[in-house]
């Protein structure tokens, strides 16, 4: 009885992992995620603010894309806090 139960659980586990994967579909990152990426990439490079493509590449590792600001807003780098913020256009 135990072997049948184990085989059934293994089949169930394998079947639940099968199916179409949504590869390549990235979700836009939040401003907080972008600021985390900015901190990590800046610490890794040791210099000033990194290039946008470096941030985009880092976010892509976690399946995210650069955030899209809402209409009437834009993302800017605050020189005092060294963090991205949303401001009116």
């Amino acid at each position: 009885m135990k072997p049948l139960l184990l085989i059934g659980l293994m089949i169930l586990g394998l079947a639940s992992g099968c199916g179409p994967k949504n590869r390549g579909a990235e979700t836009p990152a939040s401003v907080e995620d972008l600021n985390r990426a900015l901190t990590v990439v800046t610490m890794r490079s040791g210099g000033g603010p990194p290039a946008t493509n470096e941030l985009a590449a880092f976010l892509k590792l976690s399946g995210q894309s650069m955030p899209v600001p809402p209409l009437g807003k834009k993302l800017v780098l605050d020189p005092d806090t060294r963090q991205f913020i949303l401001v009116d256009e």
Side-chain angles (χ1 to χ4, degrees), residues 26-27 29 33 57-65:
E26 298 173 347
T27 58
D33 292 333
F58 184 81
L59 287 171
K60 188 173 180 111
L61 291 175
S62 62
Q64 297 177 322
S65 62

Side-chain angles (χ1 to χ4, degrees), residues 17-87:
C18 297
K21 303 288 188 239
N22 199 0
R23 297 180 197 262
E26 298 173 347
T27 58
S30 66
V31 176
E32 292 80 19
D33 292 333
L34 182 61
N35 285 326
R36 256 184 253 118
L38 175 66
T39 302
V40 171
V41 173
T42 301
M43 287 173 60
R44 197 167 41 179
S45 68
T52 305
N53 61 348
E54 291 179 69
L55 289 173
F58 184 81
L59 287 171
K60 188 173 180 111
L61 291 175
S62 62
Q64 297 177 322
S65 62
M66 292 294 284
V68 178
L71 291 175
K73 300 274 187 179
K74 65 180 178 178
L75 277 169
V76 296
L77 189 59
D78 184 5
D80 296 330
T81 62
R82 294 183 179 196
Q83 297 287 302
F84 283 100
I85 57 172
L86 287 170
V87 296

